[in-house]
Amino acid sequence: MKDTFKILAIESSCDETAAAVVLPGGKVLSNVIHSQIALHAKYGGVVPELASRQHIKSMPYVVDAALRQAGVSAGGLDAVAVTYGPGLSGALLCGVNYAKAFAWGLGIPLIGVNHMVGHICANHITHPELQPPYIALIISGGHTLLVHVCGELDYILLGGTRDDAAGEAFDKVARTLGLGYPGGPQLEELARGGDENAYSFTKPKLDKPLDFSFSGIKTAVINLMQNAKSRGQAINTADVAASFQKRIADFLCDNALAACRGAGSDSLSLCGGVCANGYIRGRMQAMAEKQHIKLYLPEKKYCTDNAAMIGCAAQLYIKNNKIAGMNLNAIPNLGLKTSELN
Ligand code: KG4
Ligand code: ZN
């Protein structure tokens, strides 16, 4: 691939309409995100139908802004990449169809990218020196997954969540504490003023040691709040937030370390929206330092959903000749397979 190979990447799997132009080697020429937070906030979560409609409205402007900021005309593009799953069906379809039309109109290749591969590749933007093999921990609103990245698009799935994803647990607990949507960042803010040892939420015992389960911790918080309310007791929500956040961080650190030890790896890459959390980043950094593990954290803007990471991932698909046809479809429940090349 030439150094000047320009990919327009499109991401619309949930509530962010995003487009970026990227060059090989994780060079990002533009990274435009139109967040729909304001649209969904009053409902306390993403309303899929509203998300799709807003993607349709925003997409042309977001793509246009990405091209303008990159100083590239549509005719100067070499490929178009798009997230085809996992995500909300209607939301994904907006991006997939837009990308198809764009690639077809320009007569350039179309690349379908798995959103999870995109998250994994976010760290290749911030740390171009990062090379497999390494352990990746994806902590997002939809997924919590420990992966051994053995080579390009070559994965061994080590563990995942049995129930809620880490971000989902943050969002649900935030709602219980009376915070708005999305709850993760607001819970982090509230936790700053709290005592993390005020409550001890127990970590569940699982037969697969690298798996996660967050619903028990979430339910413990909900019960605590409801019991206090029914007894008319005042609760310091900052203490609850800090204790919850600590328990989640303990769980993530323990499993990440066990995965590194089990795979004999000393490189750990964190990605996904929850790794924008400063407390979790700090805890991981402390653990990595103590255990002599090299920790790779994406810049915060590449933790939550964005199209630059999709463009970066697309380069791996292109290198491995995985070009999509015009029959590319959205796959809402797309998983991470051992190889994206099959
Ligand atoms: O990766 P992402 O943007 O979307 C998915 O692919 O799911 O992750 C969104 C999730 C949401 O649950 C959000 O609350 C969480 O990431 N999140 C955070 C923080 N920032 C975003 N969770 C905890 N602390 C944060 N600072
Ligand atoms: Zn995501």
Side-chain angles (χ1 to χ4, degrees):
M1 212 186 302
K2 291 181 297 172
D3 285 355
T4 53
F5 195 97
K6 294 180 196 71
I7 301 178
L8 168 68
I10 291 175
E11 154 66 40
S12 68
S13 63
C14 191
D15 59 343
E16 259 102 24
T17 317
V21 178
V22 300
L23 287 174
K27 288 201 193 80
V28 178
L29 296 183
S30 63
N31 183 41
V32 177
I33 302 173
H34 177 260
S35 168
Q36 300 181 1
I37 285 178
L39 177 68
H40 302 287
K42 58 177 174 288
Y43 303 102
V46 179
V47 182
E49 186 55 32
L50 293 183
S52 311
R53 287 187 212 167
Q54 189 59 48
H55 283 311
I56 293 173
K57 279 192 209 150
S58 310
M59 192 64 79
Y61 299 100
V62 170
V63 168
D64 193 50
L67 292 175
R68 263 188 294 113
Q69 285 180 24
V72 175
S73 65
L77 293 170
D78 296 289
V80 179
V82 65
T83 302
Y84 72 103
L88 300 171
S89 172
L92 287 166
L93 278 170
C94 297
V96 167
N97 286 324
Y98 198 90
K100 271 192 203 176
F102 221 85
W104 185 77
L106 293 169
I108 56 177
L110 173 72
I111 319 296
V113 175
N114 183 323
H115 185 78
M116 319 275 267
V117 176
H119 273 304
I120 291 174
C121 288
N123 249 325
H124 294 268
I125 304 173
T126 308
H127 305 282
E129 75 285 4
L130 173 63
Q131 291 294 332
Y134 60 85
I135 299 294
L137 174 57
I138 308 172
I139 36 177
S140 70
H143 297 88
T144 305
L145 209 56
L146 259 171
V147 184
H148 190 176
V149 181
C150 304
E152 277 178 6
L153 302 176
D154 179 9
Y155 308 111
I156 298 174
L157 308 185
L158 302 173
T161 180
R162 300 279 184 92
D163 37 61
D164 291 351
E168 197 180 351
F170 262 95
D171 293 339
K172 288 178 179 167
V173 164
R175 201 180 308 159
T176 304
L177 298 181
L179 303 172
Y181 159 86
Q186 295 188 36
L187 193 148
E188 179 185 5
E189 192 56 42
L190 176 64
R192 263 191 252 282
D195 171 6
E196 65 180 35
N197 296 311
Y199 298 96
S200 60
F201 302 116
T202 47
K203 180 181 165 184
K205 283 199 174 54
L206 302 172
D207 48 352
K208 282 179 72 189
L210 296 182
D211 272 355
F212 300 90
S213 167
F214 300 112
S215 74
I217 304 169
K218 173 196 72 184
T219 308
V221 176
I222 293 172
N223 289 344
L224 175 78
M225 296 303 292
Q226 277 175 351
N227 289 342
K229 195 175 168 196
S230 60
R231 289 189 198 121
Q233 279 171 349
I235 282 255
N236 182 330
T237 51
D239 287 351
V240 179
S243 305
F244 164 80
Q245 185 172 252
K246 175 185 184 292
R247 176 39 87 205
I248 300 287
D250 290 343
F251 208 159
L252 296 172
C253 286
D254 289 354
N255 284 22
L257 176 61
C260 288
R261 292 284 177 259
S265 174
D266 65 354
S267 296
L268 172 64
S269 163
L270 238 62
C271 56
V274 179
C275 95
N277 182 293
Y279 174 82
I280 290 176
R281 289 168 85 95
R283 287 285 311 276
M284 282 282 176
Q285 267 158 343
M287 180 276 284
E289 218 164 277
K290 193 166 162 209
Q291 304 292 339
H292 306 289
I293 287 172
K294 274 182 260 141
L295 179 68
Y296 297 89
L297 294 169
E299 264 179 80
K300 289 197 181 179
K301 65 180 174 197
Y302 298 130
C303 293
T304 42
D305 288 349
N306 65 89
M309 68 183 194
I310 302 302
C312 208
Q315 288 161 2
L316 302 184
Y317 288 74
I318 294 170
K319 269 170 81 182
N320 290 281
N321 290 317
K322 179 93 193 246
I323 310 297
M326 280 297 137
N327 58 351
L328 179 71
N329 206 351
I331 306 185
N333 61 352
L334 182 70
L336 187 68
K337 295 174 284 187
T338 48
S339 171
E340 267 296 305
L341 300 175
N342 299 325

